[in-house]
């Protein structure tokens, strides 16, 4: 559990007095952390624990605690890199709970994303530093949405690399990469489509009409969210087309390999046949000739050469 105070200049300062802090961030909360938050703020237990469920869907809720204080919950999904194996990279999405109560902001997640760490270190300011609770939330949502775009660009780069490698594709490794990317895009598409309307609705309700900074951040969040929607749709279509092309290319390359191997087998069969003929216990041409072996070898090489030439002409080699 980490707590921060927000100065008038928009600087986050970590504090040990988390009960009076402006922003409390809880990563993978223990039972003790959960009980403390419930006891101090009266937060429903599921508001905290739902952020630990990686299959939780975005949603917004409002309740009152026993003291009559309003508690607002916003659960959104953020992307995170998850490597399945060394060669196959996969992305996944995880929930982030944003809870507000009486001027205190509480964020809960299983593992803190990198963009949250940047915000805590005062390294993430788009235009102006955050000076209110609404600004902190807006910066979190802006960075969260921007992270989708960042990872989608990484996926596009991987797709371009796969397109270059497609000409020599003969192994299942490429299919595994495609499966991982396709799975990632499914998570991204679901998260972006669920996040976008929820973020827009919740922000529009919370942002004050005369707050120019909040309004500007809201427009930026909506713009970058629309960009992410377009990018994930385009990437999904590219993956679908690339999967079909990969399947055809791999089949064609395997056919070419089998064609070459079959041609080599045919050529290597000729010396075996010649050796079989001249190894019979019957009368054979120039069997008593002193250069019988050399003549037989030359004939075999000549026939092999003609066979290779014919196969090459037929494009079997």
């Amino acid at each position: 559990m980490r707590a921060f105070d927000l100065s008038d200049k928009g600087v986050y300062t970590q504090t040990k007095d988390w009960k009076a802090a402006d922003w409390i961030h809880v990563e993978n909360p223990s039972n003790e952390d959960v009980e403390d938050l419930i006891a101090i703020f009266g937060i429903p237990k599921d508001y905290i624990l739902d952020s630990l469920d990686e299959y939780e869907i975005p949603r917004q809720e409002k309740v009152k605690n026993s003291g009559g204080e309003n508690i607002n919950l916003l659960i959104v999904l953020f992307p995170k890199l998850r490597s399945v194996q060394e060669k196959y990279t996969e992305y996944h999405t995880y929930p982030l709970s944003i809870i507000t109560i009486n001027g205190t902001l509480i964020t809960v997640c299983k593992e803190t994303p990198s963009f949250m760490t940047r915000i805590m270190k005062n390294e993430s300011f788009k235009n102006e530093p955050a000076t209110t609770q609404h600004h902190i939330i807006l910066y979190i949502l802006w960075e969260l949405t921007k992270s989708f775009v960042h990872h989608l660009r990484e996926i596009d780069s991987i797709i371009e690399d796969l397109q270059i490698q497609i000409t020599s594709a003969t192994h299942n490794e490429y299919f595994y990469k495609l499966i991982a990317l396709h799975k990632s895009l499914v998570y991204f598409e679901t998260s972006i489509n669920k996040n976008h309307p929820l973020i827009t609705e919740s922000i529009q309700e919370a942002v004050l009409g005369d707050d120019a900074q909040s309004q500007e951040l809201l427009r930026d969040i909506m713009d970058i969210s629309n960009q992410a929607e377009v990018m994930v749709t385009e990437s999904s279509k590219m993956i679908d087309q690339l999967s079909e092309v990969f399947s055809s290319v791999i089949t064609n390359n395997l056919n070419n390999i089998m064609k070459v191997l079959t041609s080599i087998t045919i050529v290597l069969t000729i010396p075996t046949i010649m050796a079989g003929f001249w190894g019979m216990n019957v009368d054979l041409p120039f069997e008593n000739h002193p250069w019988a072996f050399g003549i037989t070898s030359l004939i075999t090489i000549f026939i092999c050469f003609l066979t290779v030439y014919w196969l090459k002409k037929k494009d079997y080699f």
Side-chain angles (χ1 to χ4, degrees), residues 77-281:
L77 299 175
F78 66 88
K80 186 172 177 59
L81 180 67
R82 180 175 69 178
S83 295
V84 180
Q85 296 181 23
E86 292 183 0
K87 295 182 179 179
Y88 317 128
T89 301
E90 184 179 328
Y91 298 84
H92 198 42
T93 54
Y94 301 91
L96 169 67
S97 292
I98 301 174
I99 306 168
T100 56
I101 174 173
N102 244 4
T104 301
L105 171 65
I106 302 171
T107 53
V108 187
C109 58
K110 189 172 184 179
E111 186 175 350
T112 303
S114 58
F115 65 83
M116 291 282 284
T117 303
R118 289 198 303 273
I119 294 175
M120 296 172 189
K121 293 181 178 180
N122 298 285
E123 296 175 355
S124 175
F125 298 112
K126 184 182 184 300
N127 296 315
E128 301 176 9
T131 54
T132 67
Q133 184 187 86
H134 291 315
H135 293 164
I136 300 175
I137 296 174
L138 287 170
Y139 271 114
I140 291 174
L141 296 177
W142 180 71
E143 285 285 357
L144 181 148
T145 309
K146 191 174 68 171
S147 66
F148 276 106
V149 175
H150 172 72
H151 288 308
L152 283 168
R153 286 175 179 163
E154 291 179 343
I155 290 176
D156 286 342
S157 178
I158 296 174
I159 292 175
E160 290 179 4
D161 291 340
L162 287 174
Q163 289 174 337
I164 296 173
Q165 299 168 358
I166 193 172
T167 54
S168 59
T170 56
H171 302 289
N172 290 334
E173 172 187 343
Y174 299 102
F175 274 121
Y176 296 150
K177 289 182 178 179
L178 283 173
I179 290 171
L181 290 178
H182 191 274
K183 187 177 179 181
S184 301
L185 288 172
V186 170
Y187 284 126
F188 278 20
E189 186 172 11
T190 303
S191 301
I192 292 171
N193 290 337
K194 293 290 185 181
N195 279 353
H196 180 69
L198 191 64
I199 290 174
T200 303
E201 179 184 353
S202 61
I203 293 175
Q204 286 176 335
E205 290 178 359
V207 171
L208 298 177
D210 58 350
D211 188 343
Q213 183 180 353
S214 296
Q215 291 291 351
E216 183 178 355
L217 277 169
L218 172 58
R219 287 192 297 269
D220 292 337
I221 291 171
M222 294 176 67
D223 289 342
I224 201 168
S225 182
N226 288 330
Q227 179 185 353
E229 283 186 300
V230 172
M231 289 181 67
V232 75
T233 301
E234 291 177 348
S235 297
S236 296
K237 290 181 179 179
M238 290 173 62
I239 285 291
D240 291 338
Q241 293 178 355
L242 196 59
S243 297
E244 295 178 3
V245 174
F246 256 126
S247 180
S248 300
V249 168
I250 288 178
T251 301
N252 184 64
N253 288 345
L254 288 175
N255 288 338
N256 289 336
I257 291 173
M258 293 305 299
K259 183 172 63 175
V260 171
L261 291 176
T262 302
S263 299
I264 293 173
T265 302
I266 292 173
V267 174
L268 293 179
T269 302
I270 294 172
T272 304
I273 295 175
M274 295 296 290
F277 280 149
W278 263 264
M280 295 179 181
N281 294 321

